[in-house]
Amino acid sequence: MQGLGELEALVMDVLWRSSDALRVRDVIDGLDDDREPAYTTVMTVLDNLHRKDWVHRERVGRAYRYQAARSREEAAADALRSLLDSTGDPTGVLLHFARGTSDNESKILARGLRERGKKKKK
């Protein structure tokens, strides 16, 4: 995910897979790779993600519980928006992308545009 380091992205993946707020230990246990980073490393990563507004945290007893501040899909859409804004030619990028979509992806894009139109009319 754009704007995240390798471990930050792994931590976010754990949070996105969970519907519950997680403790640092829960996040460590949920990491898919073979390495087990130090507790303090993951705690620092979660603190950094909180400062970057990627996660919300709530103090429960002496520890925090962490939850993603937005869904994986919202974060991906935000990254795409940022990328488009940085290109200097968002129209060209969008047209190039649209020409390369599958039939199913084209249907999904069309549905999103229809829903957007309905939302604006309200």
Side-chain angles (χ1 to χ4, degrees):
M1 190 68 53
Q2 185 177 0
L4 295 179
E6 181 183 354
L7 187 53
E8 288 176 327
L10 292 171
V11 166
M12 287 305 302
D13 188 56
V14 171
L15 294 173
W16 280 322
R17 289 191 321 249
S18 175
S19 58
D20 299 323
L22 301 177
R23 299 169 301 144
V24 173
R25 175 54 49 197
D26 300 326
V27 172
I28 292 169
D29 292 344
L31 292 172
D32 284 338
D33 61 354
D34 292 334
R35 65 183 175 184
E36 185 171 313
Y39 182 95
T40 54
T41 300
V42 175
M43 187 171 60
T44 299
V45 166
L46 285 162
D47 187 55
N48 290 341
L49 288 167
H50 178 258
R51 279 189 298 101
K52 294 178 178 181
D53 293 326
W54 280 85
V55 301
H56 297 298
R57 69 182 180 191
E58 178 183 357
R59 191 172 204 101
V60 178
R62 294 178 47 207
Y64 285 111
R65 292 190 179 264
Y66 297 87
Q67 197 160 28
R70 57 192 170 197
S71 70
R72 183 188 310 264
E73 295 78 12
E74 290 168 322
D78 290 346
L80 180 56
R81 167 55 47 207
S82 178
L83 183 63
L84 284 172
D85 290 345
S86 71
T87 65
D89 184 17
T91 301
V93 172
L94 285 170
L95 288 173
H96 185 74
F97 176 79
R99 290 180 191 123
T101 60
S102 68
D103 289 342
N104 188 50
E105 291 166 339
S106 294
K107 289 176 186 175
I108 293 167
L109 286 171
R111 186 180 94 202
L113 291 170
R114 281 192 307 276
E115 290 172 3
R116 180 176 170 255
K118 290 177 185 176
K119 186 177 177 181
K120 282 189 171 186
K121 289 179 184 178
K122 288 182 180 182

